[in-house]
Amino acid sequence: MLRTLDIVLIVVMTAAATVTYTIKHQAENKLDQVRKLDAAIKLEEDTIDLLRADWALLTQPNRLERLVGAFGADLQLAPTPSTQLVRPQELPMLKADVPPTEEEKKLAAAKAAEQTTDNIATGSVAH
């Protein structure tokens, strides 16, 4: 005869087996997702390596020199003269360093006039 304890233990064992199977199934699904992501990452890395190799081939100096020779007349390419290179000291000043124009001075004075107070002390906030 089955006792009540035996039935309870059978139910607990069945529940534990069900939970274990569910957890195993979820872990397998996650592992499949990880494998898919790893494959996608590997594909992207291979694509990046291929593009870098392609860039290295396209920017070889001897290839560019041949292209300049072939299309130089059509593009009217010319070497950059050394007089076009500028030192940092020769660059124009920053916009913040430019002195204001007369119109800007008038606008600033008008704004300052609007913001003047009547100098009445109310005692609530220190000015």
Side-chain angles (χ1 to χ4, degrees), residues 37-84:
L37 287 174
D38 283 341
I41 289 170
K42 178 67 175 154
L43 178 66
E44 291 296 323
E45 288 174 347
D46 290 345
T47 303
I48 290 170
D49 289 341
L50 181 65
L51 290 173
R52 284 187 179 147
D54 193 30
W55 179 257
L57 288 173
L58 291 174
T59 58
Q60 287 180 346
N62 58 356
R63 178 183 178 274
L64 294 175
E65 195 172 311
R66 277 188 323 214
L67 290 174
V68 166
F71 299 106
D74 295 336
L75 297 175
Q76 299 175 354
L77 297 174
T80 303
S82 62
T83 57
Q84 284 187 329

Side-chain angles (χ1 to χ4, degrees), residues 11-126:
V11 169
V12 168
M13 185 178 65
T14 306
T18 304
V19 168
T20 303
Y21 174 76
T22 304
I23 291 172
K24 178 182 177 257
H25 184 66
Q26 290 174 352
E28 288 174 350
N29 287 341
K30 292 294 181 185
L31 185 60
D32 287 341
Q33 289 177 354
V34 168
R35 286 185 181 142
K36 287 178 184 176
L37 287 174
D38 283 341
I41 289 170
K42 178 67 175 154
L43 178 66
E44 291 296 323
E45 288 174 347
D46 290 345
T47 303
I48 290 170
D49 289 341
L50 181 65
L51 290 173
R52 284 187 179 147
D54 193 30
W55 179 257
L57 288 173
L58 291 174
T59 58
Q60 287 180 346
N62 58 356
R63 178 183 178 274
L64 294 175
E65 195 172 311
R66 277 188 323 214
L67 290 174
V68 166
F71 299 106
D74 295 336
L75 297 175
Q76 299 175 354
L77 297 174
T80 303
S82 62
T83 57
Q84 284 187 329
L85 301 178
V86 180
R87 293 188 305 266
Q89 298 85 3
E90 297 172 344
L91 292 174
M93 66 176 75
L94 297 174
K95 186 175 181 180
D97 296 338
V98 175
T101 62
E102 290 299 320
E103 186 176 315
E104 290 172 343
K105 288 179 184 177
K106 289 178 185 177
L107 286 173
K111 284 184 181 178
E114 289 176 3
Q115 293 178 355
T116 57
T117 60
D118 53 6
N119 293 329
I120 298 175
T122 60
S124 60
V125 178

